[in-house]
Amino acid sequence: MAKQSEPTLIERIRAVHPKYAALLEKQRELLDRQDALYLDLNDSAPQTLVRAVDAAGEERVTLKAGKISLAETARRSVLGWVAQLPKPKPQPVVRHEGAVALVGELLSPQPEHEINPPPLPPNWPDESRYKEIGRELESIAEALKLLAPELTRARREYSKLVVAERAPDYQKLVETVVDASRQLGDAVLAAHEFVDQARLDGIERRYLKPLLMTEFGDLTEQYSPLRSIIERAIELGHVAAGKRPDWKLPASHELIYSGV
């Protein structure tokens, strides 16, 4: 039997919040289309050498023109002085009113191209395609702007739903970390007390070889590593205030380890 594949992230999101998944898929679709349009806009190819043998058996080399991208062609067109001149608006052909009055009954109707002249041709062959891409890119950019607040709202809703389901498991993990921190702190404190008693008893340092354990800081300080973990867990509501340890050093670190 084939092993069933794990659901993808988008599938897991859809199971919790279908609209958020749909928004993400639409955003991905728009971004992919945007990338494709930019590739189309900037697609170009360099000039290449073409080698061929003519009828006389002689090899001839010619230079094959490369492809200029739409963006570069548009840039060159804009830079040309002819392209910068405004195109005159085609005006309809108007027959002389007096002449029409004299021979009007003998005239054929005016053709459409005289009454409604077609627009002038573009400045360069691919201008219409360039403008089409520009319009689509503008639409995509505006669509992404519209999606942004919807995505923010949906992500917030999705996050709340997932956290509501997973919060108890995480709380248990935090409780385990807090309990372990308390246990380690108790052990470090016991080690401090042991070394301090050895100091008071006049034992030479070289025989006991104590560990300083200064990496844990002063256990009585709020922002020492172990205590800060516990305080933060209490502040965020993961554990009750009763988990706060009552650690008290027998003396300062400097004094505890000064004579041993």
Side-chain angles (χ1 to χ4, degrees):
M1 181 182 294
K3 185 178 179 181
Q4 188 174 1
S5 60
E6 291 292 327
T8 63
L9 174 59
I10 196 69
E11 289 171 343
R12 297 200 302 272
I13 292 175
R14 184 178 292 107
V16 177
H17 199 300
K19 182 179 179 180
Y20 183 38
L23 287 167
L24 287 172
E25 288 176 326
K26 176 56 70 174
Q27 182 190 49
R28 182 71 269 161
E29 176 189 330
L30 292 173
L31 290 172
D32 288 344
R33 179 57 181 164
Q34 188 179 61
D35 289 343
L37 288 171
Y38 278 125
L39 284 175
D40 193 3
L41 200 60
N42 295 284
D43 183 28
S44 61
Q47 293 180 326
T48 56
L49 291 176
V50 179
R51 300 179 183 273
V53 178
D54 62 14
E58 295 183 0
E59 184 181 54
R60 296 187 180 277
V61 179
T62 57
L63 186 63
K64 181 180 179 181
K67 177 183 177 183
I68 302 175
S69 69
L70 279 172
E72 177 61 19
T73 306
R75 188 187 71 82
R76 294 182 184 182
S77 176
V78 171
L79 291 177
W81 70 272
V82 174
Q84 295 182 47
L85 294 176
K87 288 187 176 183
K89 183 179 179 181
Q91 297 295 323
V93 176
V94 180
R95 291 175 172 175
H96 190 277
E97 186 178 353
V100 171
L102 292 173
V103 296
E105 68 277 2
L106 299 174
L107 294 176
S108 300
Q110 271 190 280
E112 178 64 22
H113 69 272
E114 289 186 2
I115 299 174
N116 185 24
L120 295 175
N123 289 318
W124 45 287
D126 293 323
E127 183 180 11
S128 59
R129 174 59 181 155
Y130 178 78
K131 291 182 177 179
E132 180 185 342
I133 291 176
R135 287 191 295 270
E136 188 172 355
L137 283 172
E138 182 182 3
S139 296
I140 290 174
E142 293 302 316
L144 289 171
K145 288 181 184 178
L146 292 175
L147 282 181
E150 296 291 338
L151 281 163
T152 300
R153 188 180 302 108
R155 185 171 186 264
R156 188 181 301 119
E157 295 169 354
Y158 161 77
S159 299
K160 289 180 180 179
L161 292 171
V162 174
V163 169
E165 179 183 345
R166 300 181 185 177
D169 293 335
Y170 183 68
Q171 187 170 358
K172 289 178 183 178
L173 291 172
V174 173
E175 288 175 353
T176 301
V177 171
V178 169
D179 291 341
S181 299
R182 282 171 53 91
Q183 186 176 359
L184 180 56
D186 291 342
V188 170
L189 182 60
H192 288 329
E193 292 172 343
F194 189 97
V195 174
D196 189 55
Q197 187 60 50
R199 175 184 66 84
L200 295 175
D201 292 342
I203 298 174
E204 291 187 23
R205 180 189 187 93
R206 61 176 174 169
Y207 294 110
L208 184 60
K209 301 177 182 177
L211 293 175
L212 295 181
M213 292 185 282
T214 53
E215 292 84 354
F216 298 107
D218 185 343
L219 294 175
T220 62
E221 291 292 333
Q222 181 180 0
Y223 298 106
S224 61
L226 294 177
R227 186 178 286 275
S228 65
I229 291 173
I230 299 170
E231 292 292 344
R232 186 63 174 161
I234 293 172
E235 179 184 343
L236 294 174
H238 293 301
V239 297
K243 290 285 187 178
R244 182 177 288 112
D246 186 22
W247 291 328
K248 294 179 181 179
L249 291 180
S252 68
H253 287 162
E254 293 77 10
L255 184 58
I256 291 174
Y257 295 96
S258 62
V260 181

